[in-house]
Amino acid sequence: MIEIKAISFSRGEHQIYSDFTAHLAMGEAVLLTGPNGAGKSTLIQLIGGLLKPALGRIDIDGIDIATLSAKEQAVKRSIAPQRRSFTLAFTVAEVLHFLPKKLRINDNTEVIARLGLAELLTKKVTELSIGQQERVSLALALSQRADYYLLDEPFSAQDSNSSANILELISELKKEKGVLVISHNQDAISQQFDRVISLA
Amino acid sequence: MRKLWIYLSGFAVLLFLFWLSLDLGILHLHRSVFALVGKHDVDATTVWQVRFPRALGAVIIGAGLGVAGAVAQGIFRNPLAEPTLIGLSSGATLGTISLIASGASIYGTRANIGAAVLAAAITAVLVQWLAPNKGFGFLLTGIAVSAILTSLAGLLISISPKPGIQSIAFWDFGSLTLLNNSTVGMIAPYIEIGVIICFFVSRKLDIYSLGESSAHYMGVNPKRLRLYAIIGLAFLIGASVSAVGSIAFIGLLVPHIVRLLIGPAHRKMLSLSALVGAIVLLLADLLARTLFVPNEIPLGLLTSLLGAPALIVLLRVRRASWVSHD
């Protein structure tokens, strides 16, 4: 279980979270939604250990993440950030082998196929469209062996067909794992999730 | 298969250049290099005491500069991050020169190499600390710090009466003239350590290329990675600068050539960068010694003269090897 316990966090003068509490359990898919600037991505950065709350704490399976190293956190949770910078001309296959073996799931062919990347494996990632790059980024996160998956705006650059495939992947993933998905557009997809957290 | 072919032809070129470096020079040999093994006459002394350490030094230092360039571009996530541009070389120069000027040590000693390594590391941390977070700020800060340190080094040289401090041209343009068996033997272990550290971080540099937050999410601690990379770079640059001054363009050019040959994966890139770096420096030094006999051209002039146009061509031919988002 990921437990966000009464955290407060501000950027400069702007208070984003005050006494905010939430959780994500194994076996559920939660949708996190809210307008731009509400702090959706900030929450992922907090859970990801990139930012630290001013007050409160975030636990993963009962352990304060502030006490975990980057490697220890990576074993527990995987994150697909909103943007990755694909600056070097790696092939898609190379990118999907970045993670050391211990951190990789045994077989990611299903993920690759569902995300429509099978034909792109030998293509250079720098030459792909934004939507294709984001699917590579998503595949990378889903190839990481973890208990919780946090996906920041996985649908934003996808057409309806790809979005449907991603939704299907999520509903299969949540059978064994915990999944938190950020999306600013909740109307079409919210019924696919077990819970919705709305940030004001 | 393509990779094997690249390596085989690389080694063949390196061996050929090495033989040429032993064979050619102001003194014309009366016999072939191979007939001089185990001999002690004038020809043999020239080859084994003068040309051999110089050629071996070129190979070791060139390999180190190639690796350093590849790691610097990776860790600073910038295709222009070259040790001479971002201040490491001028830091190392100032470190070495201060020690010589203060009389604490002379050229070509362990203390000197140590001072250069330490000064290069401090400079790297300083540039990081001073630079604004994104984009060209880092590079510009490096250039500015580099200019300050180079001027300080020049000032020190101008006012220091110590013999053996060498000229500004020696440190700024680089020269392999002072390499002998003892200096090469002394810097080799430092460069070896630097190369080992760089290989140790190389796989993580692939992950790091996706950005700092991505790297952290994937289990790589960016701060620790940067620290290790900087220590590796300091060993490579410190050791080579303390012996031959700063040699421009090799660290910048070599990784770009290598990326075109075998792609951007850092572990593969590092080995080939070492090989190509060795070839480029050996060739440059050979030309510097032999083009206008008996005059020797400053090495840095030659590496810039060959390297800069080559870089321009490379960038125009294949701009896609590095996409910038800044």
Side-chain angles (χ1 to χ4, degrees):
Chain A
M1 176 118 79
I2 295 182
E3 293 166 281
I4 298 157
K5 296 176 171 173
I7 58 161
S8 296
F9 182 82
S10 12
R11 283 185 192 271
E13 297 283 285
H14 182 47
Q15 175 116 39
I16 298 175
Y17 289 107
S18 110
D19 202 21
F20 177 78
T21 296
H23 72 272
L24 173 70
M26 291 286 255
E28 67 171 351
V30 174
L31 181 65
L32 179 68
T33 149
N36 286 339
K40 302 188 297 289
S41 295
T42 304
L43 191 66
I44 291 229
Q45 290 171 326
L46 284 160
I47 298 172
L50 220 53
L51 300 174
K52 291 191 171 53
L55 292 171
R57 55 186 266 182
I58 298 172
D59 287 1
I60 294 190
D61 296 337
I63 306 167
D64 186 348
I65 58 158
T67 66
L68 296 175
S69 71
K71 204 184 260 172
E72 289 164 336
Q73 291 178 41
V75 176
K76 292 278 181 197
R77 54 90 191 114
S78 172
I79 294 176
Q82 210 169 358
R83 280 253 176 284
R84 295 195 213 253
S85 60
F86 291 112
T87 46
L88 291 170
F90 286 106
T91 64
V92 173
E94 280 176 318
V95 171
L96 295 178
H97 274 87
F98 273 2
L99 284 163
K101 247 201 177 111
K102 271 182 285 178
L103 267 178
R104 254 187 347 233
I105 60 172
N106 293 330
D107 183 11
N108 62 2
T109 41
E110 178 73 20
V111 171
I112 290 169
R114 289 288 190 87
L115 290 174
L117 298 174
E119 312 80 67
L120 302 179
L121 283 175
T122 55
K123 287 257 162 44
K124 288 189 175 136
V125 70
T126 42
E127 288 163 9
L128 301 181
S129 71
I130 297 285
Q132 289 169 327
Q133 285 187 343
E134 304 224 321
R135 296 210 299 275
V136 174
S137 169
L138 192 58
L140 190 56
L142 296 179
S143 301
Q144 190 169 326
R145 184 202 299 272
D147 293 331
Y148 305 95
Y149 290 83
L150 316 175
L151 317 175
D152 197 349
E153 297 281 3
F155 310 109
S156 65
Q158 306 304 330
D159 58 26
S160 57
N161 192 23
S162 298
S163 295
N165 284 335
I166 295 169
L167 273 173
E168 229 171 276
L169 269 175
I170 291 170
S171 65
E172 261 164 54
L173 195 61
K174 73 153 196 185
K175 287 178 192 160
E176 292 172 11
K177 313 282 184 182
V179 187
L180 178 74
V181 174
I182 286 184
S183 180
H184 62 275
N185 168 24
Q186 57 156 331
D187 309 336
I189 53 171
S190 56
Q191 69 275 16
Q192 310 273 346
F193 288 83
D194 301 308
R195 279 192 293 133
V196 176
I197 300 175
S198 284
L199 298 175
Chain B
M1 199 57 214
R2 179 181 143 87
K3 207 176 132 193
L4 184 73
W5 191 86
I6 290 171
Y7 272 95
L8 283 179
S9 30
F11 274 113
V13 171
L14 187 68
L15 282 177
F16 177 66
L17 286 173
F18 202 91
W19 170 74
L20 274 185
S21 300
L22 297 185
D23 198 51
L24 297 179
I26 298 173
L27 181 104
H28 282 281
L29 299 180
H30 300 92
R31 282 162 293 169
S32 97
V33 168
F34 302 104
L36 295 174
V37 179
K39 298 284 187 325
H40 297 282
D41 55 14
V42 179
D43 278 3
T45 311
T46 305
V47 168
W48 303 125
Q49 301 298 320
V50 181
R51 291 181 193 168
F52 178 76
R54 189 163 172 164
L56 186 64
V59 169
I60 294 173
I61 290 167
L65 292 177
V67 169
V71 168
Q73 293 179 8
I75 198 65
F76 300 117
R77 297 179 53 233
N78 192 317
L80 296 174
E82 201 243 355
T84 53
L85 273 181
I86 56 175
L88 263 79
S89 302
S90 41
T93 305
L94 187 60
T96 300
I97 286 179
S98 322
L99 218 61
I100 300 176
S102 69
S105 115
I106 53 167
Y107 167 87
T109 57
R110 273 214 178 82
N112 241 340
I113 304 174
V117 169
L118 194 65
I122 292 171
T123 311
V125 173
L126 183 74
V127 171
Q128 285 250 305
W129 180 66
L130 288 175
N133 260 335
K134 283 198 83 179
F136 286 112
F138 168 73
L139 210 60
L140 292 174
T141 308
I143 291 170
V145 169
S146 188
I148 296 169
L149 298 181
T150 305
S151 309
L152 287 178
L155 200 67
L156 214 53
I157 290 171
S158 313
I159 59 172
S160 170
K162 292 277 186 273
I165 196 164
Q166 311 304 333
S167 64
I168 294 176
F170 173 86
W171 296 108
D172 274 7
F173 290 123
S175 165
L176 305 192
T177 38
L178 295 182
L179 284 184
N180 55 37
N181 282 318
S182 132
T183 34
V184 171
M186 214 160 343
I187 61 166
Y190 287 84
I191 292 187
E192 213 172 294
I193 293 171
V195 169
I196 290 170
I197 297 174
C198 287
F199 267 94
F200 172 70
V201 300
S202 63
R203 191 183 169 111
K204 290 186 175 152
L205 286 178
D206 289 348
I207 292 182
Y208 190 73
S209 76
L210 299 177
E212 271 196 28
S213 37
S214 261
H216 171 85
Y217 293 154
M218 291 165 77
V220 172
N221 182 333
K223 276 191 189 140
R224 198 173 299 164
L225 185 69
R226 259 202 310 274
L227 180 69
Y228 289 148
I230 284 173
I231 293 172
L233 287 173
F235 269 92
L236 293 174
I237 299 308
S240 65
V241 165
S242 75
V244 301
S246 19
I247 299 166
F249 270 103
I250 292 188
L252 183 61
L253 177 69
V254 166
H256 287 278
I257 298 176
V258 168
R259 236 176 256 120
L260 291 184
L261 287 172
I262 54 158
H266 283 90
R267 186 168 287 182
K268 282 192 238 163
M269 247 187 83
L270 250 51
S271 350
L272 194 58
S273 292
L275 181 57
V276 176
I279 291 173
V280 173
L281 188 56
L282 197 56
L283 176 66
D285 188 52
L286 185 65
L287 293 176
R289 286 194 299 123
T290 55
L291 271 185
F292 298 100
V293 176
N295 294 324
E296 189 171 323
I297 315 166
L299 188 60
L301 287 189
L302 213 77
T303 53
S304 301
L305 216 52
L306 295 174
L311 187 67
I312 292 170
V313 172
L314 271 181
L315 293 178
R316 288 195 65 89
V317 172
R318 280 284 294 275
R319 288 170 56 202
S321 80
W322 195 306
V323 180
S324 175
H325 292 293
D326 289 326

